[in-house]
Amino acid sequence: MQFVEPSREVLAETLLAAGPDSPTLCQGWQTRDLAAHLYLRERKARVGLGLLIKRLSKASDQATADLAAKVRTPDAYAKLVNTFRSGPPAFSPLRIKALDESSNLIEYFVHTEDVRRAVDRWAPRALDEAYSDALWGELIKRAAILYRGVDLGIVLVRPSGPRHVAKRAPVSVAIVGEPGELLMHAHGRTRHALVTFEGQPDAVALLQSAEVGL
């Protein structure tokens, strides 16, 4: 089952509802910056590489800022978001379904929540079980990378029972939550993730102060 296309639609609708000047959980970004990022990562190879290669990140950030500055009006912003909504261009490798799924399933979920949870009052979405399973499957593929900066063992636990050892160490902490909440925590949105912790108090405190995510 493919989840990326409906996730793209939900993200686009969330951005349009918020407008160009709303806050997000992405540090320093308003919704127009996030929309510019989403547009450019599919259409400008250098920008996409800047997300992966540190020496290109400055150019990527500048391209995002330049585009965001051009979409301050509601009409320009809506046009940009709707272009993103239409999908990657014909020449994009993201037209390959498997690559699209691995690249965008988590990206779209996290960024939708970056907009939804940047306000004072928010509630978690009720996710389809199959969608939650798909998010879990992608999370466990990359959990070791996301928690590489934490000097602890990390075990991810779903309330329904499944567990995944993301990192082994003499002292470990279990992070318990639904897949979407675990994703938010693993991507550094730790204060906006509805998770609980199981472990020694000093280990939990260390995790809560650690840098998590890419």
Side-chain angles (χ1 to χ4, degrees), residues 151-211:
D151 192 20
L152 291 164
I154 298 293
V155 183
L156 305 177
V157 183
R158 296 177 64 173
S160 59
R163 304 166 65 89
H164 173 71
V165 179
K167 186 177 179 182
R168 297 185 184 276
V171 177
S172 294
V173 172
I175 309 173
V176 184
E178 297 294 344
E181 304 305 321
L182 293 172
L183 271 173
M184 293 300 286
H185 188 275
H187 283 79
R189 282 67 166 177
T190 53
R191 294 188 299 109
H192 296 84
L194 302 179
V195 298
T196 58
F197 306 103
E198 297 176 358
Q200 299 174 7
D202 57 343
V204 172
L206 177 60
L207 173 59
Q208 291 175 324
S209 64
E211 184 175 344

Side-chain angles (χ1 to χ4, degrees), residues 11-28:
L11 176 50
E13 283 296 323
T14 301
L15 286 166
L16 289 172
D21 300 315
S22 293
T24 75
L25 299 185
C26 302
Q27 186 175 6

Side-chain angles (χ1 to χ4, degrees), residues 45-60:
R46 189 175 180 84
V47 173
L49 289 173
L51 302 173
L52 302 172
I53 303 172
K54 190 173 184 179
R55 65 184 175 84
L56 298 179
S57 62
K58 187 175 181 179
S60 175

Side-chain angles (χ1 to χ4, degrees), residues 65-193:
D66 290 346
L67 180 56
K70 297 176 182 177
V71 292
R72 293 181 179 274
T73 68
D75 286 347
Y77 173 76
K79 182 178 179 181
L80 182 68
V81 173
N82 283 323
T83 302
F84 159 73
R85 171 191 254 161
S86 69
F91 58 81
S92 172
L94 292 176
R95 286 286 185 179
I96 302 170
K97 289 295 185 182
L99 182 59
D100 190 27
E101 194 86 6
S102 63
S103 299
N104 290 327
L105 182 65
I106 286 179
E107 176 88 3
Y108 293 168
F109 175 84
V110 171
H111 283 325
T112 297
E113 297 304 311
D114 282 338
V115 179
R116 294 185 68 255
R117 302 187 186 201
V119 297
D120 290 336
R121 295 184 179 182
W122 60 270
R125 287 183 283 162
L127 304 181
D128 178 87
E129 185 176 354
Y131 181 38
S132 289
D133 289 345
L135 293 174
W136 171 257
E138 289 299 319
L139 171 60
I140 63 177
K141 291 177 185 177
R142 62 197 75 189
I145 296 174
L146 295 168
Y147 286 102
R148 70 191 184 285
V150 180
D151 192 20
L152 291 164
I154 298 293
V155 183
L156 305 177
V157 183
R158 296 177 64 173
S160 59
R163 304 166 65 89
H164 173 71
V165 179
K167 186 177 179 182
R168 297 185 184 276
V171 177
S172 294
V173 172
I175 309 173
V176 184
E178 297 294 344
E181 304 305 321
L182 293 172
L183 271 173
M184 293 300 286
H185 188 275
H187 283 79
R189 282 67 166 177
T190 53
R191 294 188 299 109
H192 296 84

